[in-house]
């Protein structure tokens, strides 16, 4: 679902990684998913609200485990 631009799928992949369930590889991939989730979560629905409420804290938590280079790479990948 994430491959097709599903915001909640991106969010869940990133959130699972932050929580210690490393299903998607590395921190860069997890941050990419969380950033994409926020970009894709548009509109006034409960899922968009849920993502926008929880994503910032997860991003901050994840960034503490990353180098500046990894963060920059994730930010660039999220914009694709």
């Amino acid at each position: 679902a994430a491959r097709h631009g599903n915001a909640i799928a991106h969010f869940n992949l990133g959130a699972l990684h932050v929580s210690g369930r490393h299903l998607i590889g590395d921190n860069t991939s997890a941050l990419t998913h969380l950033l994409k989730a926020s970009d894709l979560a548009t509109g006034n629905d409960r899922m968009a609200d849920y993502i926008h409420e929880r994503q910032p804290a997860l991003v901050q938590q994840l960034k503490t485990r990353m180098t500046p280079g990894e963060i920059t790479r994730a930010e660039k990948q999220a914009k694709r």
Side-chain angles (χ1 to χ4, degrees), residues 63-76:
K63 283 183 174 181
T64 64
R65 303 187 292 207
M66 299 174 71
T67 67
E70 290 171 325
I71 294 168
T72 299
R73 194 170 359 179
E75 290 170 342
K76 287 180 182 177

Side-chain angles (χ1 to χ4, degrees), residues 54-70:
R54 287 163 178 78
Q55 185 262 14
L58 292 172
V59 166
Q60 275 308 113
Q61 186 178 355
L62 190 56
K63 283 183 174 181
T64 64
R65 303 187 292 207
M66 299 174 71
T67 67
E70 290 171 325

Side-chain angles (χ1 to χ4, degrees), residues 6-70:
N6 183 295
I8 197 68
H10 281 289
F11 177 82
N12 286 337
L13 286 170
L16 284 170
H17 185 85
V18 173
S19 72
R21 297 182 185 121
H22 303 280
L23 302 174
I24 59 170
D26 59 14
N27 291 333
T28 302
S29 297
L31 182 57
T32 299
H33 283 292
L34 288 171
L35 295 173
K36 280 188 176 189
S38 183
D39 289 343
L40 293 169
T42 58
N44 256 351
D45 61 32
R46 290 186 350 196
M47 278 298 139
D49 292 343
Y50 179 86
I51 290 170
H52 289 293
E53 274 180 28
R54 287 163 178 78
Q55 185 262 14
L58 292 172
V59 166
Q60 275 308 113
Q61 186 178 355
L62 190 56
K63 283 183 174 181
T64 64
R65 303 187 292 207
M66 299 174 71
T67 67
E70 290 171 325

